[in-house]
Amino acid sequence: MYGTNAGRTSAGRAHRPARAHRAARARLVTSGVLAGAMLLLAGCSSSDGGSSEDDGASKQPPKSQAPYWVNPKGSAAQQVTAYRNKDDGKNAGLIEKIASQPVAEWIGVEDPEGETRGFTEAAAKADRSALLVLYNLPHRDCGQYSEGGAAGGDDYRAWLDKVIKGIGDRKATVIVEPDALPHLLQEGCTPQQFHEERYALLKEAVDKLKAQPNTKVYLDAGNPDWVRDPGGLVEPLQRAGIDKADGFALNVSNYQTTESNIAYGKKLSPMIGNKPFVIDTSRNGNGPAEGHDEESWCNPPGRALGEAPTTKTGEDLVDAYLWIKRPGESDGPCKGGPKAGEWYPEYALELARNAKR
């Protein structure tokens, strides 16, 4: 997915498994990005940090359409300001398409309680729900660009408990551990000896999050082009606690079309108690890249922003279209992009330029 190695390094790793049909990688924060995120967080936690008026580049959309918080100091909002300072109104307008929408906040590792509290307090001040992602399981990402995670189960539990404290009784929608379950089904990915621990940690995460009074929880279930038979996810989702979760998430950081995700989700849902689902539409406006590039998931050209975040999906089983992957941040050092999770202005402009709305 997207992020750093949580204090580890991938230098010298000679083997990278094939990634055809795998979820696009790009999340969390590199050490430099994390430092910037914490500076932003200080603004979010201040007396005016959560206000939609403190940065004209970012305003809260109507709550009835998308009840999620827009971070007025996010990377896209900063880029809008930078372009405006250069009198570049054209590019500022393009990036405003991203800055004006709620995107998920991926919780880091240095101060998970303070970071989470900053986001949820700012969201509460704006009368919105925080949209959060947990992405810190041990042995994550099959040694790819976002490998790492917590050093072990106990470290993950300690990190999770701090996130829970940061949420408290404030409204939050949480996407739990993208890729974690599909990777268990992928041969040669997560070593067998860690499977039971992963199921246990995911179930604990769901249980603890749902013990909070105003938290919605969605377990990641990959995308239609990864685990092509949705029946293969039934037992993993059950073991991970889908019965207590609000539903599942599809297409996180990927480019599969909204239509294909809806069809896939409708097949999976009745197998797990008719659970609803959410779809990441952040970059699927033009669907997936064509061809057989092994890293077609990584900063593919020609992609576009998808449907704007909303709970008005017109589909009974689809709770929301969400921008879970933060559009404009790199999937990894490929096709000219920077490290996973770093802001990539050229790619952001292309996504916005190609958007159909």
Side-chain angles (χ1 to χ4, degrees), residues 150-342:
D154 289 342
D155 293 286
Y156 184 82
R157 291 181 177 95
W159 175 83
L160 174 65
D161 287 344
K162 292 175 182 177
V163 173
I164 298 294
K165 289 181 180 178
I167 294 175
D169 62 358
R170 291 173 289 279
K171 292 181 180 179
T173 294
V174 184
I175 310 301
V176 175
E177 298 296 338
D179 292 359
L181 290 175
H183 274 161
L184 292 179
L185 302 178
Q186 187 171 314
E187 185 176 355
C189 180
T190 306
Q192 184 66 41
Q193 64 265 33
F194 301 122
H195 284 206
E196 291 301 321
E197 177 187 64
R198 177 162 295 186
Y199 284 126
L201 293 175
L202 288 169
K203 190 173 187 306
E204 287 179 40
V206 172
D207 288 345
K208 290 180 178 180
L209 287 165
K210 287 306 299 176
Q212 305 306 107
N214 294 301
T215 301
K216 289 188 175 182
V217 180
Y218 295 88
L219 275 167
D220 182 71
N223 67 72
D225 198 42
W226 191 354
V227 183
R228 297 193 175 185
D229 176 9
L233 283 164
V234 172
E235 182 180 355
L237 282 166
Q238 289 171 339
R239 295 184 65 183
I242 190 64
D243 58 322
K244 289 189 178 180
D246 291 275
F248 56 97
L250 295 176
N251 205 47
V252 175
S253 281
N254 214 289
Y255 302 85
Q256 305 304 312
T257 66
T258 301
E259 292 74 20
S260 66
N261 278 283
I262 291 174
Y264 186 86
K266 285 182 175 180
K267 291 179 182 177
L268 177 57
S269 176
M271 302 179 191
I272 51 173
N274 293 314
K275 289 286 185 176
F277 54 99
V278 297
I279 300 172
D280 185 353
T281 59
S282 58
R283 306 183 300 177
N284 73 347
N286 281 343
E290 297 180 356
H292 303 286
D293 176 9
E294 183 178 320
E295 290 194 336
S296 61
W297 54 268
C298 191
N299 302 326
R303 301 311 93 203
L305 300 173
E307 288 93 345
T310 183
T311 54
K312 305 293 186 181
T313 67
E315 296 282 348
D316 290 342
L317 283 173
V318 184
D319 279 352
Y321 300 142
L322 302 176
W323 286 8
I324 301 171
K325 160 65 181 174
R326 301 163 65 84
E329 293 184 356
S330 177
D331 291 317
C334 59
K335 302 180 181 69
K339 293 179 181 179
E342 289 190 5

Side-chain angles (χ1 to χ4, degrees), residues 2 26-29 33 37 40 68-71 74-76 98-108 115 119 129-135 172-176 178 249 252-253 278-282 309 321-329 341 343:
Y2 118 54
R27 294 244 164 42
L28 252 139
V29 285
V33 176
L40 293 178
Y68 310 103
W69 175 64
V70 175
N71 186 344
S75 297
I98 300 172
S100 63
Q101 298 296 338
V103 298
E105 304 290 350
W106 296 68
I107 303 302
E115 188 177 1
F119 292 138
S129 172
L131 180 59
L132 309 174
V133 181
L134 304 188
Y135 187 60
T173 294
V174 184
I175 310 301
V176 175
V252 175
S253 281
V278 297
I279 300 172
D280 185 353
T281 59
S282 58
Y321 300 142
L322 302 176
W323 286 8
I324 301 171
K325 160 65 181 174
R326 301 163 65 84
E329 293 184 356
W343 178 250

